[in-house]
Amino acid sequence: VKGYSDYEQLVGGVETLFGAGGRSIEEYAKSTGKSTTAIKKKYDVLMSAQKEVLSNANNAYATAGLSANNYMETVTGFSASLIASLGGDTKKAASYADKAIVDMSDNANKMGTDISLIQNAYNGFAKQNYTMLDNLKLGYGGTQSEMIRLINDSGILNEKIEDLDNITFDQMIQAIHKVQQNLGITGTSAKEASTTIEGSVNSAKAAWENFEAGVISANDLVDTFWTAAKNILNNLGQMIPRLGKTGMDVVESLSGKIGD
């Protein structure tokens, strides 16, 4: 009940930021004082953006090692600024938000930083606060001049800037993504979710939270747990011998019980 009630509340936040606030097309038209025909195109765009965010949230256990609830909690923390920086384009904002969250997770996995520190840094960037830029451990300090250097190093603007006066939040997201891509950080969360013990266990934990909220299929849940189990079992042969002779005795005892 707790898992689903949290999910329900967080979906409401996504509907407000990216969609039509949970309203039907008739209700939305009435709130704008226009006909359903006049607002249909905008309504469809809003619903498409909302659907994309919810889909990304439900799949975040595999792409970012986050449950749907954690994903939505993160996305609602900075998306108001992101949408504003994109001139109200919620569809584009949904794509940038997903890029930012996956980048946060990739950074945490690669650099060993608590993801909450990285989330706080992004929330700061959305408010023109760059003091936590060094939380990302990309070689840039926590100052405005260092954010300028990061953007220039990324090359996303095809020109050098000297200030951040005309730089929008979505451009900062693009710049950080490019720098992480150049450093080989991009994609580590998805890779670790299928190949490493810690990554696959974190993915399984997130999948379980999705199960509690009722937003994952039985097959996906089982596959995620099976991947974690395989990664653990496949590494037992390397972990146990490291314990020395006692470890080898354990291996021999286990082999007699479980066979090949």
Side-chain angles (χ1 to χ4, degrees), residues 2-260:
K2 180 68 166 59
Y4 182 74
S5 63
D6 287 345
Y7 181 82
E8 196 173 37
Q9 289 294 108
L10 290 163
V11 166
V14 171
E15 289 175 341
T16 299
L17 284 168
F18 292 90
R23 290 170 290 189
S24 67
I25 187 170
E26 290 80 12
E27 292 169 332
Y28 183 70
K30 186 176 180 180
S31 71
T32 61
K34 298 179 180 179
S35 68
T36 55
T37 303
I39 57 88
K40 185 179 187 306
K41 185 175 180 180
K42 182 178 180 181
Y43 183 83
D44 288 345
V45 170
L46 291 173
M47 297 309 292
S48 177
Q50 174 184 306
K51 182 179 179 180
E52 183 175 341
V53 174
L54 294 178
S55 176
N56 289 337
N58 293 345
N59 291 323
Y61 72 93
T63 60
L66 297 175
S67 68
N69 286 357
N70 287 338
Y71 183 99
M72 289 189 291
E73 188 173 13
T74 303
V75 82
T76 54
F78 65 80
S79 286
S81 296
L82 176 58
I83 293 169
S85 74
L86 290 166
D89 189 335
T90 54
K91 184 67 175 173
K92 188 177 288 186
S95 176
Y96 277 102
D98 187 62
K99 180 182 292 185
I101 293 177
V102 173
D103 281 344
M104 292 180 203
S105 182
D106 287 344
N107 188 291
N109 284 329
K110 192 72 172 181
M111 302 302 187
T113 307
D114 189 314
I115 194 168
S116 65
L117 296 177
I118 300 171
Q119 291 167 338
N120 289 339
Y122 272 78
N123 287 334
F125 305 154
K127 301 169 185 174
Q128 290 81 49
N129 180 349
Y130 311 106
T131 57
M132 291 178 282
L133 178 58
D134 56 349
N135 286 2
L136 275 60
K137 298 181 181 178
L138 298 175
Y140 300 91
T143 64
Q144 186 179 78
S145 61
E146 286 291 86
M147 176 59 86
I148 292 171
R149 185 165 72 89
L150 183 151
I151 292 171
N152 286 333
D153 289 348
S154 73
I156 64 161
L157 299 177
N158 297 317
E159 62 175 336
K160 297 294 183 181
I161 59 170
E162 296 182 358
D163 56 58
L164 298 174
D165 290 347
N166 297 312
I167 302 301
T168 55
F169 183 37
D170 61 286
Q171 290 174 320
M172 294 178 197
I173 290 174
Q174 290 182 67
I176 294 170
H177 178 76
K178 185 63 177 178
V179 168
Q180 293 200 165
Q181 194 174 48
N182 292 340
L183 292 172
I185 296 173
T186 304
T188 54
S189 296
K191 182 178 179 182
E192 289 188 6
S194 61
T195 59
T196 69
I197 291 176
E198 183 175 6
S200 58
V201 168
N202 285 339
S203 181
K205 288 179 180 178
W208 179 258
E209 289 184 40
N210 283 5
F211 172 71
E212 291 178 327
V215 294
I216 191 172
S217 71
N219 285 340
D220 287 341
L221 179 69
V222 171
D223 285 346
T224 306
F225 271 79
W226 182 240
T227 297
K230 285 195 297 182
N231 285 332
I232 293 170
L233 292 170
N234 289 341
N235 282 280
L236 281 177
Q238 298 178 39
M239 294 189 299
I240 294 178
R242 291 174 189 168
L243 299 176
K245 187 176 185 306
T246 304
M248 294 307 296
D249 292 340
V250 171
V251 172
E252 291 176 6
S253 177
L254 281 174
S255 66
K257 293 183 180 298
I258 65 175
D260 293 340

